[in-house]
Amino acid sequence: MQLLANVLIDGLAYGMVLFIIAVGLSVTLGLMRFVNLAHGAFAMIGGYAAALLTREAQWSFWVAVPAALALTAAIGALLEALVLRHLYRRSELEQVLFTIGLAFFLIALTNALAGPQVQLIVLPPLLAQPVDLGFRTLPAQRLLVIGAGLLVAAAAAWTVTRTRFGVWLRAAVDHPDTAATLGIPIRTVQCASFAAGAGLAGLGGVLGAELMPLEPYYALKYLVLVLVVVAVGGMGSLPGSLLAAVVLGTVETASKYLASEWGNLFFFLAMAVLLAWRPNGLLKR
Amino acid sequence: MSSKHRIAASLTSACLIACTSFGASAQAIKVGIVGPFSGPFAHYGTLFKNGAEAYIAAQGGKLAGKDVELIYRDTGGPNPGQTKTLVQELIVKDKVDYLGGFVFTPNAFAVAPLIQQSQTPTVIFNAATSSITDKSEFFVRTSYTLWQVTVPLAQWAAKNNIKKVVTAVTDYGPGIDAETAWKSEFTKQGGTVVESIRMPISTTDFSPFVQRIKASGAQAVYTFLPGGPPNLGFVKAYNENGLAKAGIQFLGTAETDEFDLQKFGDAALGLTTAFHYSAWHDSTANRKFIEALKKRDPNAIANYASVGAWDGMFVIHKMIEATGGQRDGLKAIAAARTLAWESPRGPVRIDPKTRHIVQNVYLRKVEKADGQLVNKELQSFGPQIDYGLDK
Amino acid sequence: MSAATQAARMAPPWRLPLIVLALGLAAWLLLPEQLGLLTRIAVTALFVLSLDLVVGIAGLATLGQAALFGVGAYAAGIFALRLNPDPLMGLAVGTGAGAMLALASGAFLLRYHGFTFLMLTVAVAQIVASLAQKARDWTGGDDGLTGFSMGPLLGRFSFDLEGQTAALYALAVLALGLYIARRVVDSPFGLAVRGIHENRARMAALGTPVIPRLLAMYTLAGALAGTAGALSAQTNAIVGLDSLSFALSAEALVMLVLGGAGRLHGALIGAVVFTLLHHTAASINPYHWLFIIGVALMGVVLMPPQKAWDWLRTRLGAKA
């Protein structure tokens, strides 16, 4: 019973981190059909920004994190407007090549600027202390992660379905020319969605820093996991990504508790089974 | 069009290769340093560089009166194929006289046939699996092995009323060595290993493992992880999940490595480890070492990897001395086998049979001194050999 | 298109292998101290060639080709260690292992397309990698498979320290693999597969058994990847888990796209250029070689080599 509770809690926390990072990639892949393998780099940038702001500039965590988010979103917007938008019409393989090159570049830049050590984010005392849930003690930070994941999911769903921006977004993706004719500012929508995706990735990087340590290779190291979540959840499906992230996160955690000598075999086995069963995503038919 | 392209590419490539073969002074002794300079373990490369270059500077810039040229090659991570190519080039093209470095076991294994055939003495600055030195008679090791530091710790634990221990190691060569060494010695001393947890090398989230440790009912956890992010992650998980409060003592080896130590904050106070080097070791040799390091780079860290490089260069120094600067692998190794000296870690010598360093292993606890965290040596277990080979 | 033009379009299949052999031999003679690098380039080129068959010819983007390479490498290594150190027999074993894994996984994978197919190839590769890591007694796990040394090639040429035998061996196998690939791609079967790449529905409407054709090409690619793996195992006398890694698959894909997918010689160009770039940049500055590679990759996409040549030609043409 204790084991089950442990698996569920740790799995949920891990899954939430994956979800928050994957959300942005799901958006760019599914809604904009742009393969951005540098997405992990945004998570890294967000995490690094938060780390440097809390440690070097001594900002409060609660101020540093939104600042880091904003910075990452701004960098994302800049990249999109100046460079990436020229690649929307290129083949997928070219997008892959370019974004991998970008990721390499960002890794090298991070290494040059901040060195190869792991960056730690200074947590406020509220988050650093362990919380005793009775049956289990866990760091308060994990509860924050779970909460944040649910909030992001809710906010994203609300934005896409209930706001005008969301309508524009869906129109811009489905029929860009018609949408343009109707006066929907396509370029703005694309740039804003990309920036939002980047910002969210940055948030994921910050929240996940305890689970996925921030070091220059971060940008490519966890990319596979994020791609897996997007694939299993279905490109562009936010609820799908959430479900996929939680399920896969729990499977991975369970395998660590029960069969750790098998490495990540069960994670990928589960992934293969789920993807084979529902090739277009968990919640799509 | 395409053949033009191809020809251009080939010509450019030929030029590139030709251009990188800068000739160095014919008199200089060439030492190839092989290690990770990029990727998640790049800090080892920096530590090696600092340790090695600080040693040469401390000797006045020359070793045994000869100029020394250090050639660095990046292996990335555990990448045996690439390491072999790099070392082959170092031996055949750059004609190195000695090799040093090596962080990962597979990389060291990969070059064994090369150094054996070319009779190139190779000093291992870091890799810790016991069987490496068996693969070629030209391997000398100035780092440590898991058996060497684990056996005395197991003996100490048994003597101090710790009867039930759970082991948690990373699932790779040195980790498995650590687990086997602990099990063998601890059970010999009458203790029980209640559970043996193996953690995949790619693990970043250690809380499931820490929960398993909590649930095991042991009095202490013996652990081994590779330096860098895994180390940091595990110790943090140990602290954050309240294991110390639950009464499970931490018994480690390299986990409180000076490189990451300050990052743990006060949560690291009291962690017990058995290891061969602490930057806080009180000796003239150690002070000289740290001084030389800081002179090179005020941010340089004195830890087991930089001291491994420092002592490694000492061995190379003595080998150069013994061969008069000539390339004679057999003579050099024969000389290396006889070495005994006062290293920054304490008194050491090279075991003539195994070519592995025999050194004091200390019991340390993390304490605060001068406003920073240090590994304070509580007692010395005396000189330890590599028990892994001495079976 | 007249028959004459058609014939002129398809170069004789032995031309490219001969050019490669000639260049390789020249390098072998002129750069006797870089033979390790030459061998590594040849092995990589063969691997990227196998990837081109899947990605460029059949149009199936995959990030799991390393599984086929690694399986060939481990098979050849285990064969040399436990059964027989003869290189050519080991080569056959490696090739067979790659083909079998491709056949088995392809039968499952090819039922999916696009991004789903891509991610499933990642899953299959990672599953194979996990199994290899678990089976320490057979594969050596994280420490790698060592302890085997190859017997002399053809009974006469032993693998020397400078790598002379290894380099010629790898070049010969590469040339042979290239010839086979060229023959297959230019055959009616190859044309059918290219047709499937261009328009699957139309080929199906014409009565082509789509999945069996793709599976056959995938299996051939697996065989070549296994060959490359076996070569790697034999010339390095060690097999590490990195031969099954995602990073290897990704790097091969990058090399292929860099050189140009679908034309076979693009695979070779990409392999040569990327490996040399990495090698040179890393020896100049091990810490920052990623900068150079990153910028090079981005540059190639923003300014494709074709365009650069065109631009150059027009500039020179305009001047003249």
Side-chain angles (χ1 to χ4, degrees):
Chain A
M1 194 49 221
Q2 168 76 0
L3 182 63
L4 185 62
N6 277 336
V7 168
L8 285 177
I9 291 203
D10 285 330
L12 192 60
Y14 185 51
M16 282 302 175
V17 174
L18 287 180
F19 168 64
I20 298 177
I21 300 180
V23 151
L25 189 60
S26 194
V27 164
T28 42
L29 252 179
L31 301 184
M32 300 201 292
R33 302 266 178 261
F34 176 65
V35 181
N36 179 19
L37 295 186
H39 189 78
F42 290 131
M44 182 175 78
I45 291 173
Y48 265 79
L52 293 170
L53 286 174
T54 53
R55 251 198 8 252
E56 308 295 325
Q58 313 275 347
W59 288 15
S60 147
F61 179 82
W62 307 107
V63 175
V65 172
L69 264 182
L71 179 67
T72 316
I75 294 178
L78 225 77
L79 262 173
E80 199 273 348
L82 295 178
V83 180
L84 297 176
R85 71 185 196 89
H86 299 287
L87 300 172
Y88 286 162
R89 300 201 185 268
R90 300 290 204 93
S91 80
E92 282 171 355
L93 286 180
E94 288 180 298
Q95 292 175 351
V96 163
L97 195 65
F98 185 88
T99 50
I100 285 189
L102 181 60
F104 279 158
F105 182 79
L106 290 171
I107 292 174
L109 189 65
T110 311
N111 189 28
L113 291 177
Q117 320 88 297
V118 171
Q119 300 292 329
L120 289 180
I121 300 178
V122 178
L123 294 176
L126 178 66
L127 290 180
Q129 63 192 357
V131 166
D132 194 346
L133 293 178
F135 57 91
R136 157 81 191 265
T137 319
L138 84 165
Q141 201 257 1
R142 299 256 162 145
L143 290 174
L144 175 69
V145 169
I146 296 175
L150 292 170
L151 235 134
V152 166
W158 182 80
T159 311
V160 170
T161 49
R162 297 226 185 272
T163 62
R164 180 170 289 195
F165 180 78
V167 173
W168 286 356
L169 183 60
R170 283 182 284 149
V173 164
D174 291 336
H175 294 286
D177 299 319
T178 321
T181 325
L182 290 174
I184 294 178
I186 304 288
R187 283 297 311 134
T188 319
V189 169
Q190 288 176 331
C191 194
S193 330
F194 192 86
L200 282 174
L203 177 64
V206 172
L207 293 175
E210 306 285 309
L211 305 175
M212 305 199 283
L214 294 165
E215 32 100 8
Y217 248 73
Y218 186 105
L220 285 176
K221 210 167 169 188
Y222 307 110
L223 183 66
V224 185
L225 298 178
V226 175
L227 279 174
V228 167
V229 167
V230 171
V232 173
M235 283 198 278
S237 163
L238 295 175
S241 302
L242 181 60
L243 188 57
V246 171
V247 169
L248 289 173
T250 312
V251 168
E252 172 77 344
T253 309
S255 107
K256 284 206 190 124
Y257 272 99
L258 300 169
S260 61
E261 329 80 59
W262 289 92
N264 50 22
L265 178 72
F266 294 106
F267 177 85
F268 285 100
L269 212 53
M271 172 222 173
V273 164
L274 285 173
L275 206 50
W277 175 50
R278 290 278 164 87
N280 291 321
L282 276 179
L283 299 175
K284 292 188 191 173
R285 295 228 162 241
Chain B
M1 172 70 106
S2 25
S3 12
K4 243 194 254 174
H5 196 156
R6 218 167 345 104
I7 293 172
S10 322
L11 283 175
T12 329
S13 24
C15 284
L16 279 173
I17 298 177
C19 290
T20 49
S21 45
F22 299 121
S25 102
Q27 295 292 349
I29 308 277
K30 296 194 193 163
V31 179
I33 308 277
V34 177
F37 289 90
S38 66
F41 296 98
H43 58 281
Y44 277 108
T46 317
L47 291 163
F48 284 172
K49 196 160 192 259
N50 286 336
E53 291 185 6
Y55 181 84
I56 297 180
Q59 306 306 311
K62 290 193 195 214
L63 297 182
K66 307 267 180 231
D67 283 314
V68 174
E69 185 192 338
L70 297 178
I71 306 177
Y72 297 98
R73 288 290 178 255
D74 176 25
T75 61
N79 201 332
Q82 188 177 357
T83 308
K84 181 172 185 281
T85 310
L86 290 171
V87 167
Q88 190 170 28
E89 196 180 281
L90 282 172
I91 294 177
V92 173
K93 174 169 162 288
D94 299 294
K95 304 211 184 355
V96 294
D97 301 287
Y98 300 94
L99 285 169
F102 296 97
V103 172
F104 299 106
T105 304
N107 295 348
F109 281 159
V111 305
L114 288 175
I115 65 169
Q116 183 68 24
Q117 211 177 338
S118 62
Q119 301 195 339
T120 311
T122 303
V123 185
I124 298 175
F125 293 172
N126 190 71
T129 308
S130 294
S131 52
I132 296 178
T133 41
D134 271 345
K135 299 289 182 186
S136 162
E137 64 181 283
F138 291 91
F139 273 131
V140 177
R141 182 170 13 214
T142 55
S143 56
Y144 71 107
T145 66
L146 265 311
W147 281 87
Q148 187 170 35
V149 301
T150 305
V151 164
L153 185 63
Q155 292 168 344
W156 176 86
K159 283 200 201 98
N160 280 271
N161 268 320
I162 298 175
K163 294 275 171 261
K164 300 205 295 191
V165 167
V166 53
T167 63
V169 301
T170 301
D171 197 356
Y172 75 134
I176 296 176
D177 259 9
E179 184 190 280
T180 317
W182 181 272
K183 266 192 182 147
S184 142
E185 189 63 26
F186 195 59
T187 43
K188 200 156 65 167
Q189 301 292 332
T192 341
V193 175
V194 292
E195 197 184 335
S196 295
I197 301 176
R198 296 253 182 110
M199 306 182 285
I201 199 167
S202 56
T203 307
T204 48
D205 176 18
F206 290 93
S207 54
F209 298 110
V210 165
Q211 290 299 320
R212 277 172 74 181
I213 292 170
K214 226 181 183 178
S216 68
Q219 297 164 282
V221 53
Y222 168 71
T223 176
F224 177 79
L225 297 120
N231 225 354
L232 191 57
F234 185 82
V235 176
K236 283 177 82 223
Y238 173 87
N239 288 325
E240 283 166 5
N241 285 276
L243 245 62
K245 279 206 199 92
I248 300 181
Q249 194 176 358
F250 181 100
L251 296 173
T253 51
E255 289 66 36
T256 55
D257 170 22
E258 282 78 10
F259 190 77
D260 279 327
L261 185 56
Q262 307 309 323
K263 292 199 183 88
F264 297 134
D266 285 352
L269 289 170
L271 292 180
T272 309
T273 53
F275 212 44
H276 58 291
Y277 179 70
S278 161
W280 207 245
H281 179 74
D282 192 13
S283 77
T284 330
N286 196 24
R287 273 190 283 278
K288 277 213 183 113
F289 166 56
I290 296 180
E291 217 178 271
L293 271 186
K294 300 287 183 195
K295 213 159 143 192
R296 243 196 74 73
D297 178 359
N299 291 324
I301 308 233
N303 74 344
Y304 66 99
S306 43
V307 94
W310 173 274
D311 283 326
M313 288 311 294
F314 174 86
V315 171
I316 292 177
H317 181 179
K318 292 299 161 193
M319 289 199 282
I320 297 175
E321 220 173 72
T323 57
Q326 299 304 314
R327 206 177 183 295
D328 188 338
L330 290 165
K331 207 176 188 184
I333 292 291
R337 286 183 208 248
T338 65
L339 292 174
W341 72 101
E342 179 73 25
S343 139
R345 22 184 143 173
V348 298
R349 65 181 176 88
I350 301 287
D351 182 333
K353 198 167 55 150
T354 60
R355 287 162 278 109
H356 176 70
I357 192 168
V358 176
Q359 55 196 336
N360 284 351
V361 175
Y362 306 90
L363 181 74
R364 313 104 55 88
K365 243 195 172 90
V366 177
E367 285 179 11
K368 218 169 201 158
D370 289 352
Q372 52 170 345
L373 294 172
V374 299
N375 288 302
K376 181 106 191 291
E377 288 165 353
L378 298 177
Q379 68 180 81
S380 165
F381 293 121
Q384 306 289 324
I385 60 172
D386 179 9
Y387 298 98
L389 284 178
D390 197 52
K391 286 188 236 149
Chain C
M1 192 180 292
S2 75
T5 340
Q6 184 109 28
R9 275 193 80 203
M10 295 216 279
W14 39 260
R15 198 169 77 168
L16 187 58
L18 276 179
I19 296 178
V20 165
L21 267 178
L23 282 173
L25 269 168
W28 189 86
L29 288 168
L30 295 173
L31 303 164
E33 295 170 334
Q34 301 273 38
L35 295 179
L37 184 62
L38 183 62
T39 311
R40 199 173 155 77
I41 291 179
V43 170
T44 309
L46 185 60
F47 179 48
V48 180
L49 182 70
S50 79
L51 187 63
D52 199 10
L53 289 179
V54 180
V55 174
I57 306 292
L60 306 162
T62 166
L63 277 172
Q65 195 76 351
L68 307 168
F69 177 88
V71 147
Y74 275 107
I78 294 172
F79 183 77
L81 181 65
R82 293 176 186 249
L83 284 174
N84 191 324
D86 177 59
L88 290 178
M89 287 178 73
L91 197 67
V93 168
T95 309
M100 283 202 301
L101 181 62
L103 187 62
S105 59
F108 158 68
L109 290 167
L110 286 169
R111 300 196 282 156
Y112 303 91
H113 326 282
F115 189 57
T116 311
F117 174 80
L118 181 71
M119 293 313 295
L120 281 173
T121 58
V122 173
V124 168
Q126 291 284 31
I127 290 172
V128 172
S130 299
L131 290 172
Q133 189 195 31
K134 181 72 172 74
R136 280 193 109 237
D137 295 330
W138 281 92
T139 64
D142 279 287
D143 296 331
L145 181 68
T146 50
F148 61 94
S149 47
M150 303 311 302
L153 184 60
L154 297 174
R156 281 194 54 199
F157 309 100
S158 53
F159 286 87
D160 57 307
L161 176 68
E162 289 78 21
Q164 294 181 317
T165 314
L168 287 178
Y169 176 43
L171 278 171
V173 174
L174 172 64
L176 187 61
L178 201 48
Y179 177 74
I180 294 175
R182 190 82 257 167
R183 287 298 303 261
V184 167
V185 165
D186 291 340
S187 73
F189 163 70
L191 287 176
V193 173
R194 277 195 272 185
I196 296 174
H197 178 182
E198 276 174 41
N199 195 328
R200 199 180 273 223
R202 202 197 258 178
M203 290 303 289
L206 286 175
T208 315
V210 169
I211 302 284
R213 291 280 178 271
L214 287 178
L215 186 58
M217 185 58 91
Y218 195 69
T219 308
L220 176 65
L224 278 181
T227 314
L231 268 182
S232 168
Q234 295 178 340
T235 53
N236 288 324
I238 183 171
V239 185
L241 280 175
D242 56 293
S243 26
L244 287 167
S245 67
F246 173 75
L248 185 64
S249 297
E251 237 180 46
L253 188 62
V254 167
M255 290 187 225
L256 180 62
V257 182
L258 194 59
R263 297 169 304 160
L264 295 189
H265 58 256
L268 305 179
I269 296 175
V272 170
V273 171
F274 188 89
T275 310
L276 282 175
L277 202 60
H278 181 170
H279 188 85
T280 325
S283 56
I284 294 175
N285 188 334
Y287 289 99
H288 300 305
W289 69 270
L290 269 181
F291 265 126
I292 304 181
I293 303 257
V295 167
L297 290 180
M298 291 195 280
V300 161
V301 173
L302 290 179
M303 173 68 111
Q306 288 292 88
K307 259 200 195 166
W309 274 119
D310 287 339
W311 178 84
L312 207 64
R313 269 159 115 235
T314 21
R315 288 297 304 279
L316 296 173
K319 280 207 179 128

